[in-house]
Amino acid sequence: QALQKSLMSSFDFVIIGGGVGAGYLARDIAPTLAAEQKTLLIISSAPNSLTPMERPAVSKGSLIPAMTFLRNPMEDDGKKFPYVCKGADGPTMPPSWYEETEGVTFMGSTTCQSVDFDSKTLTLSSGEPVTFGKLVIATGSRARALDGCGAEGSTWDELHSEDIDEQFQLKDKNKWGFGSCHTIRDVGDSAKLVAAMERVEDDDQETCYWPIVVVGGGFIAMEVAASIASKAEDLHVTVVLSNEHFLGGGRGGKPGVFNKEMSEFYERQMCQRFGVRFARGYSVTGLWPTEEAGRYCSLDGPAMDLKKTRERQFDACPKQFTDCRGVILKNVNDETDNDIRLPARFVIFGVGEKPNSEFLGDSLAKVEGGYLKVNENCQTSVPDVYAIGDVAAMVGEDGEVVKTGHVDAARKMAAHVAGELTSEGGGSGYAETPYFYSSVMGLDLGWKFYGKCGEGCTIVTIGLTGWEAAEKASDVAWAAFYV
């Protein structure tokens, strides 16, 4: 059966991408494949042993050093690895599921180089053509970062092949120690970040007391900062926010997910319980080169609101540092205040995403940012071509763009498109209320949001006043409404 699958070059359905959306779509469409003798091909840049997994673990449990089974699908034959459906209802889907399920072919370590929509033909990285009846683009997105921060690219090979071997072990752990730069998007990133957390000084090296610097004010930065601070007590964390608060509104009056009261609830827990410090109103303009010494202003002061210091001397960087010795900051409210240095043990960027849609050129309609424009049935501007997950942005009849970069949206879009691809039809369209949830590891706190905070909305909270008096913050339950 595996040989027959490998020799096929024409499929009823093809999914480009090996993330959450691809896994759930495969699960939902599998019964139809068997019943109607149809075929599905999943093209993924990840290795064949890394079939679709539940991504929430990447920024939470995968960052606990002892939980190696959450970072390595080869450990114990992947029995504890969070493959798709491990974190939701349904059976676990390890690589063997794709091998044994009738009509399903998973092709790892492969990318799509181009698509001819007229002839419905893909050209793979191997040079082979593959024809399709209907196509689903589920290529997701990649993390944004500064130039020079980590490897460039959108595929597993581009991002990790130089650093991670076939057994998912780091080839050189020292490369990901002091002065390294990180983003967090997949288990390869988790492995590098844990190596940096575990790195200690050699006997002839001076002790490093500089903090881990987390750059970003979104939910990923919040999760990563809390995960590290709560599980690595000997490491200090400083968060750099270009806005005033986590998940707060942007400059120019753009509404946020949290208001000040809500943000401070989480920030004070992180500060008081784990010593996390916050630098508010600063953006990162570059990495601080390891060879650069001299007198510079830095940040210090109250943990909840670090402020600029007078100039002080920074001597030669310790020899164990690799990519940088910290970050260069500027005050977003004062353009002349643009030469502040913040030393860092290592740096993590959680500053947003870029959709992996460049390989399609201008062949499909896109919205601002490069996301693929889809309608209420997740259909793109080309017939028989769909897009789901982080690469897609739904545009309603009124022109409103709905973009929910969350695992829940990927799962539900996959379920809807499974109906669209089969004889069942997709019904009345994908019209889920935008839904977002997160949990902050170590704090035993989480939140769920429904809807969105549009222009002109006010966020009204109920039950949040007086939480400081509670014995445990996790005992506090409160609600917020977008009015």
Side-chain angles (χ1 to χ4, degrees):
Q1 186 181 38
L3 179 61
Q4 287 177 332
K5 288 181 176 182
S6 68
L7 295 175
M8 294 176 65
S9 61
S10 180
F11 295 82
D12 296 294
F13 312 114
V14 172
I15 304 173
I16 305 176
V20 170
Y24 276 82
L25 179 50
R27 181 197 70 174
D28 293 342
I29 203 174
T32 297
L33 299 179
E36 300 183 9
Q37 296 296 298
K38 292 183 180 286
T39 55
L40 167 68
L41 170 66
I42 303 172
I43 300 168
S44 173
S45 71
N48 280 309
S49 53
L50 186 56
T51 50
M53 65 169 289
E54 300 285 359
R55 291 294 180 92
V58 169
S59 58
K60 301 181 186 72
S62 292
L63 298 184
I64 299 175
M67 291 189 176
T68 55
F69 57 86
L70 294 178
R71 299 186 297 273
N72 188 346
M74 306 299 287
E75 184 173 316
D76 196 22
D77 293 326
K79 292 178 181 178
K80 296 182 180 180
F81 190 74
Y83 289 113
V84 154
C85 297
K86 189 95 171 183
D89 295 334
T92 301
M93 295 164 58
S96 59
W97 184 92
Y98 299 86
E99 295 171 1
E100 298 166 1
T101 300
E102 184 179 350
V104 177
T105 300
F106 183 88
M107 188 177 292
S109 300
T110 304
T111 58
C112 176
Q113 299 300 299
S114 63
V115 185
D116 185 329
F117 292 104
D118 292 331
S119 65
K120 293 189 172 183
T121 303
L122 310 175
T123 300
L124 305 181
S125 50
S126 61
E128 298 175 56
V130 169
T131 59
F132 61 87
K134 294 182 179 181
L135 176 67
V136 181
I137 300 167
T139 46
S141 59
R142 61 191 183 278
R144 291 183 181 273
L146 289 180
D147 291 341
C149 176
E152 296 289 333
S154 60
T155 69
W156 180 273
D157 186 60
E158 293 168 335
L159 296 171
H160 301 306
S161 62
E162 289 187 5
D163 304 302
I164 298 177
D165 63 23
E166 293 180 355
Q167 298 300 311
F168 290 84
Q169 300 293 325
L170 285 174
K171 298 176 182 179
D172 180 7
K173 287 190 175 182
N174 290 339
K175 179 180 177 180
W176 301 102
F178 299 102
S180 55
C181 294
H182 303 262
T183 56
I184 190 77
R185 202 70 189 174
D186 59 32
V187 291
D189 296 326
S190 297
K192 296 171 183 178
L193 189 47
V194 169
M197 293 167 58
E198 294 183 318
R199 182 78 166 90
V200 296
E201 297 84 356
D202 295 335
D203 292 340
D204 61 341
Q205 295 173 345
E206 59 184 280
T207 302
C208 176
Y209 297 103
W210 293 348
I212 298 166
V213 171
V214 178
V215 182
F219 77 98
I220 287 292
M222 176 190 278
E223 291 177 357
V224 170
S227 295
I228 294 176
S230 64
K231 300 303 178 184
E233 296 179 358
D234 55 334
L235 299 178
H236 307 288
V237 176
T238 295
V239 178
V240 177
L241 303 166
S242 60
N243 296 322
E244 290 300 313
H245 294 282
F246 265 133
L247 294 166
R251 283 166 282 169
K254 184 179 179 181
V257 177
F258 286 177
N259 62 11
K260 180 180 178 181
E261 187 181 21
M262 295 157 65
S263 298
E264 286 187 346
F265 174 75
Y266 288 96
E267 292 166 1
R268 289 193 181 279
Q269 300 303 311
M270 295 170 69
C271 178
Q272 294 170 4
R273 294 172 63 181
F274 305 125
V276 176
R277 305 198 305 169
F278 295 90
R280 307 175 191 278
Y282 293 96
S283 63
V284 175
T285 61
L287 299 174
W288 185 1
T290 56
E291 66 274 12
E292 190 176 88
R295 295 188 63 80
Y296 301 102
C297 296
S298 190
L299 297 177
D300 207 347
M304 282 290 289
D305 193 9
L306 300 178
K307 297 297 184 183
K308 179 181 175 182
T309 66
R310 293 180 179 179
E311 285 188 358
R312 64 186 181 95
Q313 180 65 33
F314 289 92
D315 295 327
C317 182
K319 64 180 182 178
Q320 67 263 37
F321 279 68
T322 54
D323 299 332
C324 70
R325 63 183 302 178
V327 291
I328 304 172
L329 305 177
K330 76 171 183 178
N331 187 329
V332 298
N333 300 310
D334 183 355
E335 293 184 358
T336 65
D337 198 5
N338 59 6
D339 196 30
I340 302 169
R341 301 296 197 272
L342 181 61
R345 186 184 185 94
F346 56 87
V347 183
I348 307 166
F349 286 91
V351 291
E353 62 179 22
K354 295 180 181 179
N356 295 323
S357 61
E358 294 90 343
F359 74 100
L360 296 165
D362 298 326
S363 55
L364 297 178
K366 299 177 182 179
V367 301
E368 183 179 358
Y371 299 95
L372 298 180
K373 178 181 177 181
V374 299
N375 65 13
E376 70 277 4
N377 286 319
C378 301
Q379 296 171 333
T380 69
S381 55
V382 173
D384 293 332
V385 179
Y386 301 80
I388 61 174
D390 285 355
V391 75
M394 192 166 293
V395 181
E397 293 182 358
D398 59 356
E400 182 184 20
V401 177
V402 177
K403 175 72 182 74
T404 306
H406 193 270
V407 64
D408 183 73
R411 292 168 180 160
K412 290 177 178 176
M413 293 173 84
H416 180 81
V417 170
E420 284 287 311
L421 297 180
T422 65
S423 56
E424 300 173 17
S428 58
Y430 173 81
E432 293 286 340
T433 298
Y435 170 59
F436 210 92
Y437 66 84
S438 179
S439 59
V440 186
M441 180 166 284
L443 295 180
D444 297 323
L445 297 174
W447 43 267
K448 297 180 180 181
F449 280 99
Y450 298 87
K452 65 177 183 176
C453 189
E455 297 291 340
C457 278
T458 298
I459 302 178
V460 180
T461 60
I462 297 174
L464 191 52
T465 303
W467 61 264
E468 297 93 336
E471 186 172 330
K472 293 190 300 180
S474 56
D475 291 337
V476 179
W478 47 272
F481 296 87
Y482 300 142
V483 181

